[in-house]
């Protein structure tokens, strides 16, 4: 893959990551509680910024960690069976998103086990300090590891193929784009938009977002398969 | 004085007495979240608590789910957006 194509693949992976909703749900509830408890606007801004910063930092750490692991094991040349495995992972996670991501109930209830959801809700209610909001951002990304493993793996495998300077740019692009949805929602909330309208939008578009995330992963897997496996196989003939 | 037992819908061993202050705080917080002025939120929360207490008068026990559904329904009379968000609050994650 050339540099431009690699960056497009990284950007697409990050946008798929951004369409996942657990961090978004936590941010919505955190903001609602903060406003509902009559905290100052400054406090609301502090908590949402800390949350987004926490989510961004955890994403950066995860993608850097996965990139480093692949780099240590494979250096710069990724064997084809790894690409093939990654394609399988993308398809598996894509289909799982179509089948399981949202519960078939009212609202935007996600796949996560109910005891974890209850724990997160209790933590959100107890959050009053920016440090707590920051750690909530870290844990909301970790809690969604089951789904974000697919875009992060592809992002990491693609970053390895870039020249050293571009690798840093790749990491930055992935991190910034993956938290772009959180940045948009936190700006919307802190600039005075009604939370119930944001939740209404999320609820009415949840099946579209679910379809788009799953389809995005499957399209990405087809692209990776053609560019990394099929083109090499044809070249060897 | 309302002494109805409130049973947790997800854990039937968790039973608490009805607590007006708790319900009032929850409804008021929800009204404030959707941009209600403080005075209006306070009035609405009191109205909803009164409606809930009238409904609970002849009941020995109800589940938390019943309480949420009824509160949502009563809240809808006073503030549609707050009612929507009150219901959603438990369905976001």
């Amino acid at each position: 893959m050339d540099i431009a194509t690699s960056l497009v693949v990284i950007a697409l992976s990050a946008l798929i990551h951004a369409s996942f909703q657990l961090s978004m749900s936590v941010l919505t509830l955190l903001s609602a509680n903060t406003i509902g408890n009559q905290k100052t606007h400054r406090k609301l801004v502090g908590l949402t910024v800390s949350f987004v910063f926490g989510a961004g930092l955890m994403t950066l750490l995860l993608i850097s960690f996965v990139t480093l692991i692949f780099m240590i094991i494979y250096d710069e040349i990724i064997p084809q069976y790894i690409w093939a495995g990654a394609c399988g992972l993308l398809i598996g996670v894509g289909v799982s998103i179509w089948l399981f991501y949202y519960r078939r109930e009212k609202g935007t209830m996600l796949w996560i086990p109910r005891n974890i959801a209850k724990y997160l809700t209790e933590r959100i209610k107890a959050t009053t300090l920016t440090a707590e909001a920051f750690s909530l951002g870290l844990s909301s990304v970790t809690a969604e590891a089951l789904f974000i493993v697919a875009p992060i793996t592809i992002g990491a495998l693609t970053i390895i193929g870039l020249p050293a300077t571009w690798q840093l740019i790749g990491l930055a692009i992935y991190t910034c784009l993956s938290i772009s949805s959180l940045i948009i929602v936190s700006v919307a909330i802190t600039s005075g938009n009604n939370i119930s309208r944001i939740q209404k939008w999320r609820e009415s578009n949840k099946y579209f977002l679910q379809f788009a995330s799953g389809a995005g992963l499957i399209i990405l897997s087809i692209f990776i398969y053609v560019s990394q496996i099929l083109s090499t196989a044809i070249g060897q003939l | 004085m309302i002494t109805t037992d409130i049973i947790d819908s997800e854990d039937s061993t968790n039973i608490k007495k009805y607590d007006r202050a708790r319900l009032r705080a929850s409804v008021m917080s929800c009204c404030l979240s959707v941009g209600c002025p403080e005075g209006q939120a306070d009035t609405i929360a009191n109205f909803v608590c009164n409606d809930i207490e009238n409904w609970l008068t002849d009941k020995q026990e109800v589940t938390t789910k019943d309480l949420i559904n009824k509160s949502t329904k009563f809240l809808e009379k006073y503030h549609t957006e707050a009612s929507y968000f009150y219901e959603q609050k438990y369905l976001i994650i």
Side-chain angles (χ1 to χ4, degrees), chain A residues 162-184:
Chain A
L162 289 168
T165 322
W166 285 99
Q167 287 183 348
L168 291 176
I169 295 170
L171 288 173
I173 289 175
Y174 188 94
T175 308
C176 293
L177 285 178
S178 69
I179 57 165
S180 57
S181 56
L182 292 177
I183 292 172
I184 291 168

Side-chain angles (χ1 to χ4, degrees), chain A residues 142-161:
Chain A
T142 317
E144 199 147 56
L146 210 61
F147 284 103
I148 61 173
V149 67
I152 279 190
T153 303
I154 291 299
L157 288 172
T158 313
I159 285 169
I160 293 171

Side-chain angles (χ1 to χ4, degrees), chain A residues 50-79:
Chain A
S50 302
F51 178 86
V52 174
F53 190 67
L57 184 67
M58 181 51 89
T59 306
L60 180 63
L61 288 174
L62 278 176
I63 187 145
S64 307
F65 174 72
V66 177
T67 306
L68 183 66
I69 294 290
F70 281 132
M71 214 176 240
I72 289 168
I73 301 173
Y74 302 111
D75 203 6
E76 279 176 21
I77 299 145
I78 307 292

Side-chain angles (χ1 to χ4, degrees), chain A residues 32 38 106 194 196 199 203, chain B residues 33 38 81 84 87-88 92:
Chain A
Q38 294 177 289
K106 276 173 106 177
N194 198 324
S196 72
Q199 178 59 17
E203 192 190 14
Chain B
S33 299
E38 196 182 336
E81 273 197 25
Y84 170 77
E87 186 185 31
Q88 288 290 315
I92 287 182

Side-chain angles (χ1 to χ4, degrees), chain B residues 26-80:
Chain B
S26 154
V27 174
M28 192 167 163
S29 157
C30 196
C31 290
L32 291 167
S33 299
V34 297
C36 258
E38 196 182 336
Q40 190 189 3
D42 188 45
T43 310
I44 290 173
N46 279 323
F47 283 159
V48 172
C49 287
N50 294 341
D51 290 341
I52 284 289
E53 284 170 10
N54 285 337
W55 172 69
L56 287 176
T57 326
D58 57 347
K59 290 175 181 62
Q60 295 280 309
E61 53 182 31
V62 295
T63 63
T64 49
K65 206 171 183 178
D66 295 331
L67 195 64
I68 291 165
N69 288 342
K70 275 290 168 189
S71 305
T72 305
K73 204 178 154 195
F74 291 135
L75 187 52
E76 201 174 2
K77 287 196 291 185
Y78 309 110
H79 203 296
T80 322

